[in-house]
Amino acid sequence: MDAILPPVTDRETEPAAEPPHGEAHEGSLGSRLNWLRAAVLGANDGIVSTAGLVVGVAGATDDRSALLTAGLAGLLAGSMSMAAGEYVSVSTQRDSEKAALALERRELREQPEAELAELTELLQERGLSREVAREAAVQLTERDALRAHARVELGIDPDDLTNPWHAAWASFLAFTAGALLPLLAIVLPPGDWRLPVTVVSVLGALAFTGWSSARLGEAPPARAVLRNVGGGALAMGVTYVAGVLLGAAGV
């Protein structure tokens, strides 16, 4: 009977190498989707915050210079704030990733057998049998122990750590791109057309960003579009009424 069975090591060790390979692809896809979502949300923030600001000012005055000043101030303040916040946040994440890798490197040096057993258990949890998981863990450890543990145990790619500067620039550019729409819409048209052009263009842009974020998350777009458009309309309505009241009061 033994003669007709295929060799166990030849057939079973090949699938064992798949988990980290598959995880890398999934991680890369997830990373790209997260960047896309961040860009869409950054642009959405730029649209809503700048639109609320310039519409509020438009409720108090129709002076083009005042509208341009307010819009530029909101664009610069918002984009810099987004960039700084993203830089700090991603820097913290990167520090945590580097600390986790340093700890894993030390454990591999001081407790290699315990780490091998841990990797075996993690591979078992992914559906491999004990024997196959052990053989896969041995092979992965011999090839690159730190990379194997980083990907399987920590979910980190040691060669692709998060970059705070990339995140900061992406947030800055996304917010700026979104903020430019209401800024241009409020200052370029003639006086009587400024407000309606701004409202229509902003609501259209919010419908698009709502649809885009829903598609990226594979969710029904209708609810996201309504939520985005409703929130933007509410923000512009509130700031416009506040501007009108302040303008009437001579503030």
Side-chain angles (χ1 to χ4, degrees), residues 12 29-30 43-44 74 76 80 100 108 110 128 154 166-167 169 201:
E12 293 187 343
L29 176 60
N44 193 78
L76 291 174
M80 293 300 296
L108 285 167
E110 297 176 353
L128 299 180
L154 305 176
H166 290 172
W169 276 111
S201 59

Side-chain angles (χ1 to χ4, degrees), residues 219-241:
R223 182 176 300 178
V225 169
L226 289 175
R227 187 167 52 234
N228 246 26
V229 171
L234 178 62
M236 288 188 291
V238 169
T239 55
Y240 180 74
V241 170

Side-chain angles (χ1 to χ4, degrees), residues 4 15 30 32 77 182 210 219 231 234:
I4 64 173
R32 287 195 297 271
L234 178 62

Side-chain angles (χ1 to χ4, degrees), residues 147-235:
R147 182 184 302 277
H149 280 267
R151 290 182 171 178
V152 177
E153 180 182 349
L154 305 176
I156 297 174
D157 184 349
D159 297 326
D160 189 26
L161 298 182
T162 52
N163 189 313
W165 284 109
H166 290 172
W169 276 111
S171 294
F172 178 87
L173 294 175
F175 187 97
T176 300
L180 280 173
L181 174 68
L183 175 59
L184 295 176
I186 202 71
V187 298
L188 293 182
D192 294 339
W193 286 90
R194 287 174 187 165
L195 196 58
V197 167
T198 301
V199 170
V200 171
S201 59
V202 164
L203 295 182
L206 291 177
F208 176 74
T209 57
W211 178 85
S212 300
S213 62
R215 295 294 295 174
L216 288 171
E218 298 182 354
R223 182 176 300 178
V225 169
L226 289 175
R227 187 167 52 234
N228 246 26
V229 171
L234 178 62

